[in-house]
């Protein structure tokens, strides 16, 4: 959308038309974090962000990406040289110009749906009263108090964010009455009911394949309960937790007896919060949030230290000089403590804060900026639990571990040595998505890989899509379709032209080990992972362990985030994939007994893959490879019959009894008949095998608990979902054969009128499996399919078949293209299946998340996680040896839950001295301890005082 500039006095504003509807293509991943209602509320919020140094621009970037109505950035100051190390939208040519004005164009380009303007005059009351949310950065304590009182009295949400060196502070005041509509943002828990007792209190036992997920005090509602129907009509009921599969409710002794069925669903409760203005909250230490479990009391000292720092600046009109002693600072702190009455002051932390207060660091700004922007989202949306009310953070462990380096005389040589180390680092960044972009931004700001010997190598095989633009802030709309790694590398070099970056488009897996080989890894100083699958993380971790390289790892899931630093021989590695398959959906549940929308969506995905991808791929393999049939026969009779039967029918024209269409009408006919098979015939067959009144051998109803009794559907051309299925299925079927289709429902209805749908009679010979084990056992049994297989083999061996057949076009599922019929098919197929089983349908947005396995994402969490990762980078580059210096982090910005703790040490394996076959015995005595992260790489003898043969011994020989 083109922008036009209007300049009136100190305000420079970009005008654009307001957009009422939410752009789901742009906000796709964020919508799964916030939801439509919260984003609609955000769309009415005007936000002021004061201060456009590193922290201010970080907050502005995240808030603009989130999609509020408008953002005004204020700064009366001019850009200086030191701003370039933290303000990523400023360049050398901007020095001497207003920071807000210089940042405006780049900020406006982040989100076409947000009005962005710049105010270059000072803050005043008239300006603040125009906004619903006000954020102060780089502000004095006097301004914070004055404007905080103003905002509190006028119902304006007020946020203060501040960073000084390796320390940061955040404050929130959302007024006397702030309603939180959704406290945690989680999808309401829901479970199936097995039984409900008639007593006081009633006991609900759940029938689901997983725990109910409720806690004490959760309020729930009941639906579809048969027998004890009174529960279906009462309001939310508070529960009392018994165990993961049962809970107490109200008195049910007077209700009807429970018979079967029922769903219990969590009912989200809103709450009202009261905040104190900053001038009052400043003295209330109960409002301080503790986040680092390695520094249990330091946050209280930091709270006073920031106030003392403000007092020093007010008196001296400057921050303390870098690494110089400030005697007044500690005296001011002690005076403040006479009121606060803290039992213990962390004098070392105060000293280090004053030493480093002039610092303006990208990683600290990213972390505090991510948190502050999340508070803006909470203030404007009513979603998530806000900070109440102070948060103080420090990463002082990033400073040198040796105390003799923490002096004024040693500062200059140590600083320049460290900066040179940063510049000459050779790092491998895997992934150029959301976290990858944020890491590259910080790498550029701190000068990583900007030296003569330094280099960043980045790889990502993906190309930029529109849905990336909402959180991968280095990309713009004109970059859609281009390789992520190349665009991200170029954007990072715009921030720091001295960076040396090599961009690759390789997937990191065993196939790329020819590129990322021994020589490549041994030339690295470290690796940063910005990956989105556990499998990829495990593989990369293994390569780092193998080559003994440190690894920075981080990930996000909506407002949740995690960081891990792996230090060779010191900390535990990421390790093998420990994710359990206990939550995998049993095949029999998907095939015959679904009871959640997740089951019907997985069934729809399986249908899509089988019909439109696997079958045409098998046909093409048959046409291309001579040994395809024999290889398929080796899979077992049941699977071979299914595959070869599908190939044969796909090659045989419809008029000859096959399924290969020759016209668009054939495609519509196929879709209509497939609808009848899936939603009527198959259900009739299931009910024939297990009638509604069926009982188990123990006398209990078969259709109870998690087994929902289905009913067949009757096709109705006037039913939108019925037609959606036919339209999508017919078009996809045509695409496989190169036949063009249409979305014109009227013309398709005319074709449907001419179609004869064969009648169906259930068969008593059909067996329906109740468990996956039963299904597998039947597959392994001897079958009588050999005659049918021989017949298929003979038909497929016909030379004329291959010569006359045309290749098919397999369809790869793509969830983000609304014009390709993929999600049309998934939504319709799943919701029709849900209708069969009386499962509540899912809208397109929810269906896309589940079927597309979309990971919810938001820019605020991504920025915070990248900031924490780069703080660990500081420690790695300095070579910190104490495990207490490092931090593993678990954060949930939605509820302001933070756990920063010392990483686990590398486990030690005990090796006893013993004879070695064919290998000279190591010259060592007693028991040897070795970190597991060395053993897992197959180099477990490293570190022993050993004398081994210098011949080429195999790894197996060494192990023996």
């Amino acid at each position: 959308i083109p922008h036009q500039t209007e300049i009136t006095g100190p305000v420079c504003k970009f005008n654009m038309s307001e957009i009422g509807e939410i752009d789901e293509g742009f906000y796709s991943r964020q919508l799964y974090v916030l939801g439509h209602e919260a984003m609609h509320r955000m769309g009415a919020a005007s936000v002021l962000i004061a201060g456009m140094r590193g922290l201010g621009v970080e907050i502005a970037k995240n808030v603009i990406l989130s999609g509020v109505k408008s953002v005004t950035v204020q700064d009366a100051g001019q850009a200086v040289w030191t701003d370039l190390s933290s303000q990523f939208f400023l360049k050398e040519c901007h020095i001497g110009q207003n920071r807000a004005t210089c940042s405006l164009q780049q900020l406006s380009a982040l989100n076409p749906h947000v009005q962005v303007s710049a105010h270059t005059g000072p803050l005043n009351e008239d300006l603040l009263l125009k906004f619903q949310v006000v954020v102060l950065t780089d502000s004095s304590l006097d301004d914070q108090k004055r404007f905080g009182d103003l905002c509190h009295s006028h119902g304006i949400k007020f946020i203060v964010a501040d960073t000084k060196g390796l320390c940061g502070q955040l404050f929130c005041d959302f007024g006397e009455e702030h309603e939180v509509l959704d406290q945690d943002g989680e999808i309401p828990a829901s479970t199936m009911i097995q039984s409900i007792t008639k007593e006081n209190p009633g006991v609900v036992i759940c029938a689901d394949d997983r725990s109910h997920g409720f806690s004490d005090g959760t309020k729930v509602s009941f639906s579809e309960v048969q027998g004890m129907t009174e529960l279906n009509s009462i309001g939310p009921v508070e529960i009392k937790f018994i165990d993961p599969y049962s809970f107490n409710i109200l008195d049910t002794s007077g209700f009807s007896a429970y018979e079967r069925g029922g769903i219990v669903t969590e009912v989200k409760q809103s709450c009202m919060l009261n905040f104190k203005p900053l001038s009052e909250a400043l003295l209330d230490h109960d409002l301080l949030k503790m986040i680092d479990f390695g520094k249990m009391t330091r946050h209280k000292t930091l709270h006073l230290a920031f106030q003392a720092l403000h007092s020093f600046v007010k008196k001296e009109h400057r921050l303390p000089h870098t690494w110089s002693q400030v005697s007044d600072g500690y005296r001011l702190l002690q005076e403040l403590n006479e009121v606060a009455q803290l039992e213990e002051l962390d004098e070392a932390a105060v000293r280090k804060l004053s030493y480093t207060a002039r610092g303006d660091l990208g990683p600290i700004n990213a972390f505090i900026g991510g948190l502050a922007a999340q508070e803006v989202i909470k203030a404007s949306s009513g979603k998530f639990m806000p900070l109440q009310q102070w948060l103080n953070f420090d990463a002082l462990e990033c400073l040198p571990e040796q105390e003799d380096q923490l002096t004024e005389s040693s500062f200059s040589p140590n600083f320049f040595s460290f900066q040179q180390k940063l510049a000459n680092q050779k790092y491998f960044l895997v992934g150029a998505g959301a976290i990858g972009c944020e890491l590259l931004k910080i790498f550029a700001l701190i000068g990583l890989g900007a030296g003569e010997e330094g280099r960043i190598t980045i790889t990502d095989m993906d190309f930029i899509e529109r849905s990336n633009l909402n959180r991968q802030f280095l990309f713009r709309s004109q970059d859609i379709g281009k390789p992520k790694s190349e665009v991200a590398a170029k954007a990072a070099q715009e921030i720091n032209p001295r960076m040396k970056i090599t961009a690759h488009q390789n997937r990191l897996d065993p196939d790329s080990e020819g590129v990322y080989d021994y020589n490549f890894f041994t030339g690295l100083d470290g690796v940063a992972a910005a990956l989105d699958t556990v499998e990829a993380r495990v593989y990369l971790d293994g390569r780092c362990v193998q080559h003994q390289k440190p690894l920075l790892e981080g990930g996000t899931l909506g407002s949740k985030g995690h960081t891990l630093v792996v230090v060779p021989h010191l900390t535990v590695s990421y390790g093998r994939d420990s994710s359990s398959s206990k939550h995998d959906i049993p095949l029999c549940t998907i095939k015959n007994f679904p009871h959640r929308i997740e089951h019907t969506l997985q069934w729809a995905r399986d249908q899509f893959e089988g019909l439109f991808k696997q079958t045409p791929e098998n046909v093409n393999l048959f046409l291309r490879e001579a040994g395809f049939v024999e290889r398929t026969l080796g899979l077992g009779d049941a699977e071979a019959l299914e595959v070869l039967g599908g190939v044969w029918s796909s090659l045989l024209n419809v008029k000859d009894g096959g399924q290969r269409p020759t016209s668009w009408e054939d495609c519509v006919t196929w879709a209509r008949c497939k609808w009848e098979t899936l939603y009527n015939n198959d259900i009739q067959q299931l009910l024939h095998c297990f009638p509604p009144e069926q009982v188990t051998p123990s006398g209990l109803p078969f259709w109870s608990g998690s087994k929902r009794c289905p009913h067949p559907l009757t096709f109705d051309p006037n039913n939108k979902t019925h037609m959606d299925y036919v339209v999508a299925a017919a078009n996809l079927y045509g695409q496989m054969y190169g036949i063009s289709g249409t979305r014109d429902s009227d013309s398709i209805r005319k074709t449907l009128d001419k179609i004869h749908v064969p009648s169906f009679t259930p068969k008593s010979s059909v067996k329906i499996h109740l468990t996956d084990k039963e299904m597998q056992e039947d597959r392994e049994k001897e079958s009588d399919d050999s005659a049918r297989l021989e017949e298929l083999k003979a038909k497929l061996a016909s030379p004329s078949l291959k010569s006359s057949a045309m290749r098919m076009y397999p369809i790869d599922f793509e969830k983000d293209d609304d014009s390709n019929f993929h999600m049309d098919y998934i939504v319709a197929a799943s919701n029709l299946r849900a209708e069969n089983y009386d499962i509540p349908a899912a809208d397109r947005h929810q269906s896309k998340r589940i079927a597309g396995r979309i990971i919810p994402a938001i820019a605020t969490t991504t920025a915070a996680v990248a900031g924490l990762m780069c703080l660990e980078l500081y420690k790695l580059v300095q070579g910190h040896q104490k495990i207490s210096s490092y931090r593993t982090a678990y954060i949930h910005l939605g509820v302001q839950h933070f756990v920063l703790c010392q990483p686990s040490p590398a486990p030690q394996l005990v090796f006893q001295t013993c004879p070695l076959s064919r290998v000279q015995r190591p010259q060592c005595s007693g028991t040897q301890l070795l970190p597991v992260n060395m053993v897992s790489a197959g180099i477990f003898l490293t570190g022993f005082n050993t004398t081994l043969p210098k011949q080429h011994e195999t790894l197996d020989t060494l192990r023996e």
Side-chain angles (χ1 to χ4, degrees):
I1 299 177
H3 296 77
Q4 291 184 343
T5 306
E6 290 183 358
I7 302 178
T8 306
V11 178
C12 174
K13 184 173 183 178
F14 277 77
N15 286 335
M16 65 176 54
S17 58
E18 293 186 16
I19 301 175
E21 291 302 315
I22 294 174
D23 184 345
E24 293 192 0
F26 183 83
Y27 292 115
S28 170
R29 304 308 185 259
Q30 181 179 288
L31 275 167
Y32 295 114
V33 183
L34 299 177
H36 286 77
E37 292 183 8
M39 286 207 60
H40 275 299
R41 289 190 291 270
M42 287 169 55
S46 296
V47 181
L48 172 67
I49 301 173
M52 275 296 104
R53 286 196 165 98
L55 178 59
V57 77
E58 181 69 46
I59 298 171
K61 178 257 293 180
N62 295 329
V63 172
I64 292 168
L65 288 172
S66 74
V68 296
K69 177 183 178 181
S70 69
V71 172
T72 297
V73 293
Q74 179 276 336
D75 198 314
Q78 280 70 49
V80 295
W81 179 257
T82 53
D83 288 333
L84 303 185
S85 68
S86 62
Q87 221 282 24
F88 43 85
F89 284 154
L90 293 181
K91 298 179 173 59
E92 288 186 37
C93 62
H94 293 140
I95 293 175
Q97 301 178 48
N98 179 268
R99 280 187 288 260
T101 302
C102 293
S103 306
L104 183 59
Q105 186 171 4
Q106 290 272 41
L107 289 170
S108 299
L110 292 171
N111 190 339
H113 306 307
V114 177
Q115 301 173 25
V116 184
S117 59
H119 182 81
T120 59
L123 290 177
N124 57 63
E125 294 184 3
D126 290 338
L127 177 66
L128 268 63
L129 293 176
K130 297 177 182 178
F131 299 93
Q132 286 78 50
V133 185
V134 171
V135 183
L136 297 190
T137 70
D138 194 28
S139 57
S140 69
L141 185 57
D142 288 341
D143 279 350
Q144 293 172 14
K145 290 179 180 179
R146 178 164 62 98
F147 293 127
D149 288 342
L150 174 74
C151 289
H152 188 87
S153 63
H154 286 82
I156 299 170
K157 317 297 184 185
F158 182 67
I159 298 168
V160 174
D162 197 7
T163 58
K164 293 290 186 289
L166 287 163
C167 300
Q169 186 176 64
L170 187 61
F171 170 79
C172 291
D173 170 16
F174 291 176
E176 308 221 346
E177 289 187 347
H178 174 74
E179 185 177 14
V180 180
L181 300 171
D182 184 349
Q183 298 182 39
D184 59 13
E186 300 292 336
I187 297 172
S190 179
T191 190
M192 303 282 293
I193 297 171
Q194 179 70 45
S195 65
I196 307 174
T197 63
K198 280 189 65 172
E199 58 182 318
N200 186 15
V203 177
V204 179
I205 298 176
C206 303
D208 220 337
D209 49 3
R210 55 188 179 190
S211 63
H212 53 63
F214 304 137
S215 57
D216 253 357
T218 299
K219 291 193 175 181
V220 300
S221 63
F222 291 83
S223 60
E224 301 183 32
V225 176
Q226 298 181 37
M228 196 178 286
T229 55
E230 294 89 342
L231 286 173
N232 295 330
S233 57
I234 62 175
V237 177
E238 187 171 317
I239 74 155
K240 184 172 178 57
F241 181 89
I242 297 177
D243 60 43
Y245 300 94
S246 63
F247 53 85
N248 286 331
I249 54 173
L250 44 68
D251 182 0
T252 59
S253 58
F255 291 174
S256 306
Y258 173 82
E259 294 178 5
R260 68 169 73 179
I263 301 172
V264 57
T265 305
E266 177 188 7
V267 178
K268 290 289 186 107
Q269 300 293 305
S270 63
C271 67
M272 196 69 72
L273 301 178
N274 175 274
F275 290 77
K276 293 182 179 181
L278 185 142
S279 53
E280 292 182 26
L282 200 62
L283 305 175
D284 191 343
H285 284 230
D286 291 334
L287 299 177
L288 302 183
K289 179 84 175 178
M290 193 275 291
I291 68 173
D292 192 327
F293 285 81
K295 312 163 187 173
M296 296 292 286
T297 60
R298 182 178 291 177
H299 64 291
K300 295 182 178 180
T301 297
L302 285 176
H303 187 66
L304 293 184
F306 267 97
Q307 296 176 54
L309 200 58
H310 281 297
S311 298
F312 179 89
V313 172
K314 184 177 181 180
K315 178 182 177 182
E316 301 292 335
H317 305 289
R318 63 171 177 83
L319 285 165
H321 292 302
T322 306
W323 289 99
S324 63
Q325 295 286 350
V326 182
S327 57
D328 286 347
Y330 194 69
R331 179 182 57 77
L332 290 168
L333 186 77
Q334 289 176 318
E335 291 176 2
L336 289 168
N337 196 39
E338 291 178 5
V339 178
Q341 295 293 303
L342 296 185
E343 294 181 3
E344 182 181 352
L345 288 175
D346 190 335
E347 185 176 352
V350 177
R351 186 174 65 252
K352 292 173 183 177
L353 170 60
S354 67
Y355 282 171
T356 60
R358 283 179 174 263
D360 193 7
L361 301 176
I364 294 289
N365 290 334
F367 178 66
I368 297 297
L371 271 58
Q374 186 73 36
E375 296 305 308
V376 174
I377 292 172
K378 296 174 187 178
S380 56
S381 70
K383 183 104 172 185
F384 297 121
M385 186 64 70
L387 172 67
Q388 300 173 77
Q389 292 183 251
W390 287 101
L391 181 144
N392 294 286
F393 171 79
D394 81 271
L396 294 173
E397 68 277 2
C398 291
L399 295 172
E401 290 180 319
Q402 295 75 27
E403 286 295 327
D404 59 358
Q405 296 184 30
L406 303 178
T407 62
E408 185 175 1
S409 60
S410 64
F411 165 71
S412 292
N414 286 333
F415 169 77
F416 288 113
S417 173
F418 172 61
Q419 191 61 50
Q420 189 173 17
K421 279 185 179 179
L422 274 174
N424 289 324
Q425 290 287 296
K426 300 176 182 67
Y427 252 76
F428 185 28
L429 173 58
V430 186
I435 293 178
C437 285
E438 293 288 341
L439 288 174
L440 273 177
K441 171 200 71 182
I442 301 176
F443 289 174
L445 292 173
I446 66 177
L448 190 77
E452 291 183 6
E453 300 175 11
R455 177 163 294 279
I456 307 293
T457 301
I458 179 173
T459 188
D460 194 308
M461 70 287 186
D462 287 339
F463 294 85
I464 298 167
E465 300 173 354
R466 189 162 183 268
S467 63
N468 301 147
L469 305 182
N470 173 239
R471 65 203 182 281
Q472 300 174 20
F473 87 105
L474 295 182
F475 307 145
R476 301 291 179 267
S477 57
Q478 62 267 26
D479 299 322
I480 293 174
K482 298 177 182 178
K484 286 186 176 182
S485 58
E486 289 184 2
V487 176
K490 183 179 178 182
Q493 288 174 319
E494 287 287 322
I495 299 172
N496 186 344
R498 295 174 179 82
M499 283 186 78
K500 299 182 180 68
I501 309 178
T502 302
H504 296 169
Q505 288 84 53
N506 301 317
R507 180 190 297 273
L508 193 76
D509 59 15
D511 292 339
S512 63
E513 289 183 7
V515 178
Y516 308 116
D517 55 10
Y518 171 83
N519 291 329
F520 175 82
F521 270 93
T522 53
L524 296 174
D525 293 299
V527 177
L531 296 161
D532 57 5
T533 68
V534 173
E535 180 184 16
R537 290 183 173 103
V538 170
Y539 175 77
L540 179 58
D541 174 69
R543 298 302 306 279
C544 290
V545 170
Q546 178 184 356
H547 298 287
Q548 301 183 63
K549 297 299 177 183
L551 172 68
L552 294 165
E553 207 285 315
T556 68
L557 178 65
S559 61
K560 303 170 188 173
H562 169 248
T563 66
L564 173 73
V565 57
V566 179
V567 187
H569 317 300
L570 185 65
T571 72
V572 68
S573 66
Y574 188 86
R576 296 180 180 178
D577 183 0
S578 59
S579 58
S580 172
S581 60
K582 65 181 179 180
H583 292 322
D584 289 349
I585 307 172
L587 292 177
C588 285
T589 297
I590 295 173
K591 191 174 178 62
N592 297 309
F593 308 112
H595 55 274
R596 291 179 176 273
I597 197 65
E598 290 88 347
H599 302 160
T600 66
L601 282 163
Q602 183 60 56
W603 177 86
R605 271 299 303 269
D606 292 346
Q607 288 287 317
F608 185 99
E609 297 294 325
L611 293 171
F612 308 123
K613 186 173 190 292
Q614 292 169 4
T615 296
E617 283 180 344
N618 288 334
V619 168
N620 292 343
L621 285 171
F622 165 75
L623 296 175
R624 187 171 63 245
E625 298 179 9
F628 173 78
V629 173
E630 293 301 326
R631 189 170 66 251
T632 303
L633 291 171
L635 300 175
D637 287 359
E639 188 170 351
L641 188 62
E642 181 180 348
V643 172
L644 296 181
V647 169
W648 168 250
S649 63
S650 298
L651 292 172
L652 197 64
N653 287 338
V654 170
K655 64 180 180 180
D656 298 322
Q659 293 187 354
R660 188 179 190 93
T662 57
S663 67
W664 167 242
E665 287 72 19
D666 287 345
C667 298
V668 176
T669 301
W670 175 88
R672 172 64 183 90
C673 292
K674 178 59 71 174
W675 189 102
E676 195 72 17
T677 298
L678 295 175
Y679 304 112
N680 185 290
N681 301 351
D682 288 353
I683 301 300
Q684 285 192 57
Q685 182 65 60
L686 179 61
L687 291 174
H688 179 78
C689 296
F690 303 107
E693 65 278 3
Q694 178 93 2
V695 295
T696 65
S698 59
L700 296 174
F702 177 85
W703 294 105
S704 63
S706 61
K707 287 189 176 69
R708 303 174 70 95
C709 185
H711 63 275
L713 304 182
T714 301
F715 183 78
D716 178 2
N718 295 315
N719 183 301
K720 184 179 184 302
T721 308
H722 294 199
M723 281 300 295
D724 284 348
Y725 178 89
V726 172
V727 172
N731 275 278
L732 290 168
Y733 201 65
Q735 288 174 22
M736 290 194 304
Y737 292 97
I739 296 173
S740 299
T742 179
R743 286 185 179 272
D744 186 351
S745 296
D746 290 337
S747 67
I748 293 174
R749 284 191 184 92
K750 292 178 182 178
T751 303
L752 290 173
D753 290 339
K754 305 173 187 176
I755 295 172
H756 170 70
V757 179
S759 60
F760 174 78
T761 303
K763 300 179 179 62
S764 298
S765 60
V766 173
K767 180 178 181 179
I768 293 178
H769 300 102
L770 296 178
T771 65
D772 287 4
K773 181 180 179 182
E774 184 181 315
M775 184 187 301
Q776 184 62 31
E777 288 173 351
D778 277 3
R779 278 182 173 274
E780 294 171 357
K781 288 179 182 177
E782 293 281 336
S783 68
D784 56 358
D785 295 328
S786 54
R788 173 71 176 135
L789 282 171
E790 287 299 322
E791 180 185 354
L792 279 171
K793 184 178 177 182
K795 290 179 178 179
L796 292 170
S798 170
S800 61
L801 185 66
K802 285 191 176 183
S803 62
S804 61
M806 298 175 64
R807 68 181 293 270
M808 293 178 67
Y809 303 94
I811 300 174
D812 290 313
F813 179 68
E814 170 49 58
K815 59 187 176 293
D816 288 320
D817 182 353
D818 288 336
S819 66
N820 62 11
F821 296 101
H822 297 191
M823 280 308 303
D824 296 344
Y825 177 86
I826 295 294
V827 174
S830 171
N831 284 339
L832 287 167
R833 179 80 163 171
E835 186 180 349
N836 278 136
Y837 287 86
D838 293 316
I839 298 169
D843 62 21
R844 187 183 185 90
H845 183 68
Q846 182 185 3
S847 298
K848 183 186 287 190
R849 176 183 65 81
I850 299 171
R853 302 178 180 92
I854 290 175
I855 300 173
I858 191 167
T860 51
T861 315
T862 304
V865 163
L868 291 174
M869 291 173 68
C870 289
L871 289 174
E872 301 308 302
L873 174 63
Y874 281 150
K875 305 166 190 177
L876 290 173
V877 173
Q878 292 179 82
H880 281 12
Q881 297 299 312
K882 299 176 182 177
I883 195 170
S884 59
S885 296
Y886 293 95
R887 289 291 181 273
T888 293
Y890 305 87
I891 63 176
H892 188 341
L893 303 192
V895 295
Q896 286 296 341
H897 176 73
F898 305 92
V899 178
L900 275 70
C901 55
Q902 178 178 303
S904 300
Q908 305 288 312
L909 289 185
V910 179
F911 285 81
Q912 301 288 347
T913 55
C914 59
L916 296 180
S917 173
R918 299 194 304 279
V919 181
Q920 183 175 340
R921 179 176 178 175
Q923 303 301 305
C924 55
S925 60
T927 300
Q928 300 294 317
L929 296 177
L930 219 51
V932 168
N933 65 5
M934 294 169 62
V935 177
S936 63
I939 51 173
F940 56 85
L941 291 175
T942 303
F944 276 78
N945 178 19
T946 61
T947 305
L948 292 175
K950 298 186 184 299
Q951 304 300 321
H952 298 289
E953 297 288 349
T954 67
L955 182 59
D956 288 340
T957 305
L958 288 173
R959 282 181 173 146
E960 189 175 345

